[in-house]
Amino acid sequence: MSDLGHPEKPSVLALELFQPNPDVLYSLDATAHLAGVSRRSVLICCRAGLVRPVFQPPHGMMAFTEEAIYTVRRIADVRAAHGIDVSWIKTMFDLLDEVERLRAEVRFLSKR
């Protein structure tokens, strides 16, 4: 019998939600490695405003959060699958942010 329908027993096919740890920072090299892209790709994402590095004093070295790594990975996947350039991806991410903002506004207004 299949265990997929049992709520008490987690499925081996269940997706695990990504929950970034805000206290962990990664270097540019580590970020590129974990995202599966080149250092140049990470820097292009930064220059386009898609990812924001955290600068650690006193040396001003770039450091990135797990959320930034996840974003770089998403960008690389979209570029590989659809051949879309970074400027279009930026537009797409801006639109997704606006949709989320509008959804939050609708939820807020519907609770009044």
Side-chain angles (χ1 to χ4, degrees):
M1 221 182 235
S2 175
D3 290 331
L4 294 177
H6 274 270
E8 305 91 34
K9 196 170 190 180
S11 169
V12 293
L13 300 176
L15 293 176
E16 184 176 329
L17 293 178
F18 174 73
Q19 304 213 343
N21 183 343
D23 299 327
V24 178
L25 296 177
Y26 298 89
S27 69
L28 176 59
D29 289 331
T31 298
H33 176 74
L34 291 169
V37 300
S38 67
R39 287 172 45 123
R40 184 175 182 273
S41 293
V42 175
L43 294 173
I44 288 170
C45 290
C46 291
R47 193 174 315 123
L50 294 166
V51 175
R52 289 198 175 115
V54 177
F55 290 94
Q56 291 181 310
H59 305 294
M61 294 177 59
M62 285 183 156
F64 296 88
T65 62
E66 289 179 350
E67 185 173 354
I69 294 168
Y70 176 73
T71 301
V72 170
R73 200 178 288 160
R74 284 178 54 203
I75 293 165
D77 289 346
V78 169
R79 288 183 79 189
H82 302 291
I84 300 173
D85 71 7
V86 175
S87 62
W88 280 103
I89 293 172
K90 170 104 171 91
T91 301
M92 183 177 71
F93 278 23
D94 289 344
L95 290 171
L96 289 170
D97 288 343
E98 181 65 14
V99 167
E100 188 54 41
R101 188 193 67 74
L102 291 170
R103 284 181 178 159
E105 188 175 328
V106 167
R107 282 191 300 270
F108 173 77
L109 293 173
S110 67
K111 292 180 182 180
R112 293 170 101 193

